[in-house]
Amino acid sequence: MAALHEAKSAGTGFLRRRWVEVLVIWLFWTFLAVLVATGRLLDPRWAGQEASLVRRQVLHIFSEFYTWALLTPGIFWLSRRMAFDRPRWVGRLLLLLGIGLAVALLMEVWVDFLYLYVYQLPWRRGRADLLEGIRHFWFINDLVTFFAVLAAGFARDYFVRYQQRQQEAAQLRAQAADLQARLTEARLQALRMQLNPHFLFNTLHAISALVERDPKGVRHMIARLSELLRYTLDESGAQEVPLSQELRFLQGYLDIQQIRFQGRLEVKQEIDPDVLDALVPNLILQPIVENAIKHGISRLETTGRITLRAWREGDQLWLYVRDNGPGLSGNGQWQEGLGLRNTRARLEGLYGDAYRMELRQPPEGGVEVCISLPYHTAADLHVSAHADT
């Protein structure tokens, strides 16, 4: 609906600009016609002429300028189609010169035709001849007028393109700011998770229980907790990171959760080694796994299992997280929480329509989240950036 509304708004805006442009063109040529007609009326050589003759001469002036008004949209179209910043500009220049000559010759004949046969004004160039203006190069004035309108069209075209680039840049800045805000929210959510009283209490309780019988395990727990806090606080703010880096952060979180659940949490990873360099949104997996533990594994009295999978199909990278919890509540009418809504918004902001995110309840129970996004690596982006320069 939003896209349809934007399309309708864009269409309405385009039509409004077209009508404004037509009005400006008409006002411009009317102003020039009034200016020239006023000059002629003030000319002493017109003094004493018949009123009907003066009226026909004024009409002839307006007819000539309104003919240019009718030609102006077509000349503007030529300026858009034959901009000089495109390839083969010399050929375009020669073609514009030929078109300009043709327009000037036709205008010269048309204006003389109006003068002689439509308004029946007295011919002041000797005998009446429609081609006399061509033979004496009087069409040069029309050629100059053509290129003046063409130059105005180029200026208009560059101005419109400049405005479009400004709007696109503003949209990109707004999109980047939104993505940065989403990433910041994800980081804060991860930090809140690590500072969650229950999370810290369970972690410290597990550490206390292992102090005497497993000092090595205690050091491992403290090191993992420290790494998680440091990663969240020191993380660079990049929107995308390699999948291997995302999995290292997630593994630290899962190590602590496995100690918290005292052996009742099993994690199975089926990661294709060929996709470890693929770029994924930073902190994309942790909120999904956290939801699986919070709404699935923590409700089980038996052993909980989380399965992580990552593989590539064509140009798409697939990420898969599944738990064996009680599944979705409310007969499938399940509402996404803040973490998943934030995840979906980040995916949409980064990849547009090129991503998929589905929550499913498989027949054997639990919940599975499947994400598909464009496959690319840092090396791909580097090559693409050099190709664009």
Side-chain angles (χ1 to χ4, degrees):
M1 291 298 292
L4 181 61
H5 178 71
E6 290 179 1
K8 288 183 177 178
S9 299
T12 304
F14 175 79
L15 290 176
R16 187 184 299 114
R17 287 194 299 273
R18 284 295 184 194
W19 280 112
V20 170
E21 186 173 281
V22 169
L23 179 61
V24 170
I25 291 172
W26 181 79
L27 289 174
F28 173 77
W29 288 109
T30 300
F31 172 76
L32 288 184
V34 170
L35 199 63
V36 173
T38 303
R40 294 279 179 86
L41 291 174
L42 297 177
D43 191 335
R45 291 174 293 180
W46 281 33
Q49 292 187 358
E50 297 179 1
S52 62
L53 182 61
V54 173
R55 183 173 62 254
R56 280 181 281 143
Q57 288 179 335
V58 170
L59 288 175
H60 176 259
I61 292 172
F62 274 84
S63 298
E64 178 181 357
F65 281 96
Y66 281 151
T67 301
W68 278 113
L70 293 174
L71 292 175
T72 297
I75 299 174
F76 281 2
W77 179 82
L78 282 176
S79 67
R80 289 195 300 272
R81 299 287 298 178
M82 300 187 180
F84 291 132
D85 56 352
R86 297 176 183 176
R88 300 189 296 275
W89 62 271
V90 175
R92 295 171 187 274
L93 178 61
L94 293 176
L95 181 59
L96 285 175
L97 182 60
I99 295 174
L101 281 172
V103 171
L105 294 174
L106 290 175
M107 275 297 295
E108 181 65 26
V109 174
W110 171 247
V111 170
D112 285 348
F113 173 80
L114 292 176
Y115 193 91
L116 286 172
Y117 299 105
V118 176
Y119 298 109
Q120 298 180 349
L121 293 167
W123 190 249
R124 293 177 301 175
R125 299 174 180 174
R127 65 186 180 88
D129 187 349
L130 293 179
L131 300 181
E132 185 179 7
I134 297 176
R135 287 195 295 270
H136 291 83
F137 295 98
W138 291 334
F139 62 88
I140 294 299
N141 289 337
D142 295 312
L143 184 62
V144 172
T145 303
F146 171 83
F147 280 106
V149 177
L150 188 66
F154 283 130
R156 168 196 169 279
D157 187 40
Y158 282 115
F159 177 72
V160 170
R161 289 160 62 185
Y162 173 77
Q163 279 192 321
Q164 290 175 343
R165 284 196 294 270
Q166 291 291 100
Q167 292 175 354
E168 291 171 357
Q171 290 175 352
L172 289 176
R173 285 196 296 270
Q175 186 178 18
D178 180 67
L179 288 174
Q180 190 61 40
R182 298 286 183 183
L183 176 59
T184 302
E185 177 63 28
R187 293 176 62 193
L188 289 175
Q189 187 179 359
L191 185 58
R192 283 196 297 270
M193 173 273 300
Q194 291 153 23
L195 297 179
N196 183 289
H198 294 288
F199 176 80
L200 287 178
F201 173 79
N202 291 325
T203 303
L204 294 175
H205 180 73
I207 290 174
S208 176
L210 293 173
V211 163
E212 294 185 353
R213 57 188 174 92
D214 189 5
K216 184 177 179 181
V218 169
R219 288 196 295 272
H220 180 72
M221 283 277 297
I222 295 175
R224 285 299 196 187
L225 183 60
S226 175
E227 288 174 2
L228 285 177
L229 294 172
R230 185 171 60 249
Y231 179 87
T232 308
L233 294 173
D234 296 344
E235 187 267 332
S236 64
Q239 290 290 348
E240 291 183 308
V241 297
L243 178 61
S244 57
Q245 180 179 331
E246 182 71 8
L247 290 174
R248 280 198 300 274
F249 171 77
L250 184 63
Q251 187 59 52
Y253 171 74
L254 287 171
D255 285 348
I256 294 175
Q257 292 290 0
Q258 284 181 303
I259 295 174
R260 170 193 166 192
F261 279 90
Q262 297 291 304
R264 292 191 299 109
L265 175 61
E266 295 179 356
V267 178
K268 183 180 180 181
Q269 296 194 26
E270 299 175 357
I271 310 298
D272 186 344
D274 292 337
V275 301
L276 289 176
D277 290 335
L279 293 179
V280 299
N282 199 356
L283 297 172
I284 196 70
L285 291 176
Q286 187 274 330
I288 299 173
V289 174
E290 181 188 358
N291 269 357
I293 293 175
K294 182 178 180 180
H295 301 291
I297 304 301
S298 62
R299 298 180 180 178
L300 295 176
E301 295 182 356
T302 58
T303 300
R305 286 184 292 277
I306 290 179
T307 302
L308 302 173
R309 294 180 61 198
W311 72 97
R312 178 181 181 180
E313 287 183 6
D315 295 332
Q316 294 295 110
L317 172 70
W318 288 85
L319 302 173
Y320 172 95
V321 178
R322 180 180 175 185
D323 67 74
N324 65 334
L328 303 176
S329 60
N331 297 325
Q333 301 300 319
W334 188 65
Q335 299 295 323
E336 293 183 1
L338 175 62
L340 290 180
R341 288 202 304 272
N342 191 16
T343 299
R344 190 181 294 280
R346 290 181 62 203
L347 289 170
E348 185 174 356
L350 281 170
Y351 309 115
D353 296 330
Y355 89 96
R356 287 176 56 192
M357 178 176 170
E358 296 181 358
L359 278 72
R360 297 190 292 253
Q361 186 167 359
E364 56 271 29
V367 175
E368 60 184 19
V369 179
C370 207
I371 297 175
S372 167
L373 47 90
Y375 178 90
H376 59 282
T377 65
D380 295 335
L381 295 182
H382 181 74
V383 172
S384 177
H386 279 272
D388 293 339
T389 56

